[in-house]
Each structure stands twice: as C-alpha cells, then as structure tokens.
Amino acid sequence: MNDGNRNVPANVVYERLMSASDPSADVRFMDMAFALGRRGLGRTWPNPAVGAVVVRDDGVVGRGWTQSGGRPHAETEALRRAGKAARGATLYVTLEPCSHHGRTPPCCDAIVEASISRVVSAMVDPNPQVAGAGHWRLANAGITVEVGLGAQEAQRMHAGHLRRLRDGRPHVTLKLAVSKDGKAGLAGRRPADITGERARERVHLMRAMNDAVLTGIGTVLSDNPQLTCRLPGMSERSPVRVVLDRMLRIPADCFLAKSARNTPARDTPVWVLTSDAAPESNEQALIASGMNVIRIGTRDGALDLSAALKELADRGISRVMVEAGPILSAAFLRADLVDAAALFRSPRDIGADGIDALEGLSLDALTGSPRLALVTTETVGDDTMETFE
C-alpha cells in the first residue's frame, strides 16, 4: 500500500488472497462484481470498467458498473440502487474506490454516507490520485476494509487501466486468423475468408470490449474493413477505429470514410494517425469527411508504434485491439508491444503461395514468445481460438 506517511488503520487488511475454488459467499459476490464490471469494457474510457455489488444478510441489494463515458462510477450506481438497504451492508468492488474529487465527488464519501460497514476490494488502484488513499479513508471512517480477493482477475480485467498508468500506453491485444498451414491471405496479398461465422462473431464481441481497434493502411486498401461491432443490438458498442496511414492514402469512398461522414463522431469515430510528410490537402479532405487526423513521429521510415500508442493513451484509450495485416502485426511483435493475443486457427489450408501470417517472422514469434503464455484453447464453430497473455 502506498499510503505516504499515514498510519494504516487496524481495520484494513491487505493481500486477502483466496483461491477461485473457495466456496465462500465472498468469492461468489466478488465474481458477480467482475461480471458486472465487464459490461462496461470498451465503453468507460478514460476510466476503468469497475463492477460493484452491495450485499446485506447474504442477499444482493444493489448492483452497479461504470457507465458509458466513465460516469457514474460503479460504487455510486450500486449504492443508489441499494438505497437505505446499504446501511450495515458489505460492498464488493473490483478496484479501490476513488478518494479524490474529479467531475464527481469521491466514491469514498458516498460509501461512508451510505453507512456501509465493510468493503471487500479486489486491488489497490495504482492511480497516484488514489494509490491506497481510498482504502485508508474508508478504514479511518470505521469501515472494515479487506483487499486482495480476486486480485488476479482484477489485474486481468483492469489491464488497460494499469498499462496506461504504468507505461503510458494502452493494453494491446493482437488478433490473428490463420489457415491450417499458417497463412493469412492469398497470393498477391489478396484477402481470404479464413475463419467461419462463429469466429467472426467472437471477433465482433472482442471489438465491443476494447476502446479502440487499430489497423494499417494496407488492410484498408486490400480489405476495405468496417471494424465495427455488428452483433445484433450491439452497434453502439463499436470502438474507436484507428488507422495507421503514413501518407494519408485512405480512400474517400472506403467504408471507414463513409461511416465517419454518416455517424456522430462519438459513436464510431475514425482516427487516422499519419506523419508530418503527409499532404496537407489530404488531411483537410479527411477532416471534412468527419475523420480525426493526428500527426505523429516516424522511425525507420514507418510510423513510430510507441508514439502512436502514447497518443492514444493521452486521448484516454486504455485497451486496443490490433486487427491488421502481416506487416503491421509483425511490427507490433518486433517492438515488444503485444500484451495479449487471440489466435484463430482454421481447419482449412490456403496453400504454399499464400502469404504468411507475420511478415518476416514465423508464427512461433507469437506462440513461442517468452512474454506470452497460452492460457486457453477453445473450439469456436469449425475453428480453434488460442488465447495468450
């Protein structure tokens, strides 16, 4: 706990770690808080997607999760729904309640005012404005505070928030689809339908759970992607679309340009990251079509990926999904900027003349990476999905 020179009250317990198999009510209710928090993934930036549950006499009296745009916070939502039933209750929350004034008063104040008697918090918020101060204030007000239940899952769910605070960039998930023989497209860099419908639906869900989806100009020119979430009833969950385009070659009639013209900027925005060498006239045309053009630095003749991610983080983005071709995907791996990966494997071959999934790298650069471990393998329709973290 980073509590400065304060003395930690005796009724705050840190590193209360319990296994996921523990049948206790605490584990059940914290799992519920995690499930609620996941509802906000991709919608709450620049704030983390937090879940909270208010429990009294072993019954849930209030549920909450961080709302779109980051406000209201999960704790205040859960307390609002609990009302007077919150008095003497336990609050389960996936991240330390805030203790500082922002656009709204601190959640700690609302918790104390509601007369909550016990708070079970999954982890300390490393935000310097919080960093243990929330737990300290609650305990100092006479509330029993226990920290650490579900800590591993909390770090996974809040990975974007943690990465943005610690490294100044978003958490990056690389998505790849490969044929049985390890190819990502047809000869001549022509696109191919590699995976089936169920796998494509899973990718749409992944988009909805990220703040932004990032691709390169090569993919835009060859595939003309939409990069939206097109699951039934979930179009509003589409992420920010980000294109790396060093010379602003993005066509005015592509899907991304058309959607930028026809939808409100906050709904499905398109951000184009380019270099200082790109023509000013091209920039003005893209701006007129509703896109946001952002100039960043270059490295070795290409856009600087670290600078690109820092720019996104500065704008509040904490979770990015990279859906790109072999060149850009390989560049992210070479730059050691991949934090997680979803590898979809098709049972069909493309053939020796197909293009490799990673330009200049074998697929082992991902599957055998010392930084990434295979954590799950599952069947998705006719395809297989491997998840690395």
Side-chain angles (χ1 to χ4, degrees):
M1 173 180 173
N2 178 14
D3 63 351
N5 294 319
R6 296 184 295 267
N7 292 318
V8 180
N11 56 331
V12 57
V13 179
Y14 280 81
E15 298 183 356
R16 183 183 182 277
L17 304 176
M18 299 174 68
S19 69
S21 61
D22 191 311
S24 73
D26 281 348
V27 172
R28 254 188 319 117
F29 292 130
M30 184 60 80
D31 285 346
M32 185 182 298
F34 283 127
L36 291 167
R38 292 187 196 101
R39 297 184 181 187
L41 287 174
R43 299 286 290 169
T44 66
W45 62 276
N47 290 346
V50 178
V53 179
V54 181
V55 176
R56 182 173 179 178
D57 299 329
D58 293 328
V60 175
V61 295
R63 298 175 175 87
W65 57 94
T66 310
Q67 299 297 293
S68 287
R71 294 289 192 279
H73 287 183
E75 300 95 318
T76 54
E77 277 289 285
L79 292 172
R80 179 183 64 81
R81 297 182 185 194
K84 294 181 179 179
R87 181 176 293 275
T90 295
L91 172 70
Y92 297 84
V93 62
T94 64
L95 187 67
E96 178 181 9
C98 66
S99 55
H100 62 288
H101 282 269
R103 286 184 291 166
T104 56
C107 288
C108 285
D109 291 356
I111 294 169
V112 172
E113 185 177 345
S115 297
I116 289 287
S117 65
R118 175 174 174 249
V119 170
V120 180
S121 171
M123 66 175 292
V124 174
D125 186 348
N127 184 342
Q129 294 181 297
V130 187
H135 293 147
W136 182 88
R137 285 183 60 177
L138 293 173
N140 206 44
I143 298 172
T144 298
V145 179
E146 299 175 9
V147 185
L149 178 63
Q152 185 173 3
E153 179 59 27
Q155 291 189 37
R156 178 178 291 110
M157 193 168 92
H158 300 306
H161 177 63
L162 302 178
R163 182 70 66 188
R164 184 166 169 253
L165 285 171
R166 292 172 179 169
D167 295 338
R169 68 168 177 84
H171 180 270
V172 175
T173 298
L174 176 64
K175 172 259 172 182
L176 287 179
V178 300
S179 62
K180 184 179 179 181
D181 51 353
K183 305 298 181 180
L186 301 174
R189 298 194 180 278
R190 291 174 294 135
D193 288 332
I194 295 175
T195 53
E197 186 61 29
R198 291 285 301 279
R200 287 192 287 272
E201 289 174 354
R202 177 63 69 87
V203 171
H204 284 275
L205 182 60
M206 291 172 62
R207 289 175 183 170
M209 298 176 73
N210 279 272
D211 304 340
V213 58
L214 183 150
T215 195
I217 184 60
T219 297
V220 174
L221 294 175
S222 64
D223 294 0
N224 195 18
Q226 298 182 55
L227 302 179
T228 53
C229 175
R230 295 189 296 281
L231 296 175
M234 292 186 65
S235 61
E236 76 283 354
R237 298 292 300 264
S238 295
V240 175
R241 281 85 55 80
V242 179
V243 181
L244 301 189
D245 182 6
R246 187 175 64 88
M247 294 303 293
L248 292 182
R249 295 186 292 148
I250 186 168
D253 60 349
C254 70
F255 278 129
L256 293 175
K258 290 177 180 177
S259 66
R261 283 194 294 269
N262 298 330
T263 59
R266 175 67 189 183
D267 290 351
T268 50
V270 179
W271 297 355
V272 183
L273 274 57
T274 190
S275 70
D276 289 336
E280 182 73 22
S281 58
N282 292 19
E283 177 179 0
Q284 293 307 314
L286 294 180
I287 292 174
S289 73
M291 298 186 188
N292 188 1
V293 178
I294 305 164
R295 294 185 184 262
I296 62 172
T298 59
R299 177 178 294 183
D300 299 328
L303 291 177
D304 186 331
L305 297 184
S306 293
L309 293 179
K310 182 181 184 303
E311 188 68 41
L312 297 183
D314 289 346
R315 293 168 182 262
I317 300 295
S318 66
R319 297 171 65 94
V320 171
M321 178 171 149
V322 175
E323 281 193 73
I327 296 175
L328 188 54
S329 296
F332 268 94
L333 281 168
R334 285 193 181 97
D336 199 21
L337 292 173
V338 175
D339 304 304
L343 177 61
F344 292 86
R345 294 183 186 264
S346 167
R348 297 180 292 276
D349 288 330
I350 283 183
D353 59 346
I355 60 173
D356 292 335
L358 297 170
E359 184 83 6
L361 296 175
S362 74
L363 199 56
D364 289 343
L366 169 62
T367 59
S369 168
R371 286 193 63 242
L372 297 171
L374 177 65
V375 291
T376 61
T377 300
E378 61 180 298
T379 300
V380 183
D382 294 331
D383 306 301
T384 300
M385 177 183 175
E386 298 173 1
T387 302
F388 298 82
E389 293 180 355

